[in-house]
Amino acid sequence: MITTDKMHPELKSFIEDLKVIIKDGESEEVITENVRSRIKRLLTDDGVIPAAYKIPNPDKYTLYPVYIAPDNSFCIASAVWDVGQSTPIHDHGTWGVIGIIQGNELEIHYDVDSKNELIAVQEREFQKGDTVVCCKSDRDLHKVQCVSSIPCVGIHVYGGNIGEMERHMYDPVTGNKRTVVTAWDTVTAVE
Ligand SMILES: [Fe+2]
């Protein structure tokens, strides 16, 4: 996690605004749209997220913890996909909003039909500067892939501590799901 003394002023300001946007009693619809609108400002300055939080791992996609609210009510992650990397089909168990810093992402959303089979229902491609509500309780199943010739980096805001929450990965053929915790990755370079 980035310590306060090393935070870019725009990131500090973003966190303070998130605390106002994300409050008890507010609907998921309102929160996600307000976060999506606010995240745009972060994408205009390449220095907001330190370089160490944008380094891909050739073995797996990574999720670096930029900020985790002390009460776990939300978190900010830097998600990095190396060229060609893809996630399994997964859910989140909370809402999520994404702003793309670099590269192109292909996202496919799924529904589960009455036979427990996964049906692709929406395909979208995002590029630098795009902001998107990636997940809500009524649309929470997707898979994401880097489709650019450079690694994809995105700022992700979730309505909980995504590195500690139990969620699910889905078998694309059987639709069977298994419970996982996708632990935070460690930032190895100097922050
Ligand atoms: Fe996701």
Side-chain angles (χ1 to χ4, degrees):
M1 201 159 82
I2 304 172
T3 52
T4 309
D5 58 319
K6 290 179 180 163
M7 271 184 195
H8 190 288
E10 274 295 338
L11 182 58
K12 279 187 194 170
S13 161
F14 182 57
I15 291 166
E16 290 309 310
D17 286 353
L18 287 181
K19 289 176 184 170
V20 175
I21 291 170
I22 302 163
K23 46 181 181 253
D24 287 343
E26 199 61 87
S27 74
E28 186 183 64
E29 205 70 41
V30 169
I31 288 175
T32 50
E33 266 316 304
N34 286 340
V35 173
R36 195 181 71 79
S37 169
R38 179 59 182 81
I39 210 170
K40 281 180 188 291
R41 245 174 68 193
L42 284 193
L43 308 178
T44 58
D45 186 336
D46 283 342
V48 172
I49 302 297
Y53 288 74
K54 300 177 187 172
I55 299 173
N57 178 342
D59 297 328
K60 62 187 263 302
Y61 62 93
T62 52
L63 209 55
Y64 297 118
V66 171
Y67 179 79
I68 302 165
D71 63 357
N72 281 343
S73 58
F74 71 95
C75 72
I76 305 170
S78 176
V80 184
W81 281 259
D82 206 350
V83 175
Q85 282 179 341
S86 175
T87 66
I89 300 170
H90 62 275
D91 64 20
H92 310 78
T94 184
W95 55 263
V97 180
I98 291 174
I100 306 292
I101 297 176
Q102 172 189 302
N104 290 49
E105 280 185 20
L106 178 71
E107 182 205 43
I108 304 173
H109 265 284
Y110 294 83
D111 277 346
V112 181
D113 71 8
S114 57
K115 290 185 278 187
N116 203 40
E117 289 173 348
L118 296 173
I119 312 292
V121 291
Q122 186 183 37
E123 188 171 311
R124 304 184 284 186
E125 186 171 329
F126 310 121
Q127 59 188 2
K128 179 176 178 171
D130 284 348
T131 59
V132 61
V133 177
C134 78
C135 24
K136 293 191 292 186
S137 43
D138 62 344
R139 176 57 62 93
D140 190 27
L141 261 184
H142 75 170
K143 121 183 202 180
V144 181
Q145 183 180 359
C146 173
V147 290
S148 48
S149 57
I150 57 171
C152 297
V153 182
I155 299 174
H156 293 205
V157 181
Y158 295 104
N161 183 344
I162 199 73
E164 294 186 355
M165 297 168 64
E166 283 194 350
R167 49 204 188 111
H168 305 94
M169 302 290 183
Y170 292 72
D171 185 299
V173 177
T174 64
N176 291 339
K177 63 179 179 181
R178 62 189 174 90
T179 303
V180 296
V181 174
T182 310
W184 292 111
D185 287 289
T186 306
V187 177
T188 49
V190 178
E191 287 178 15

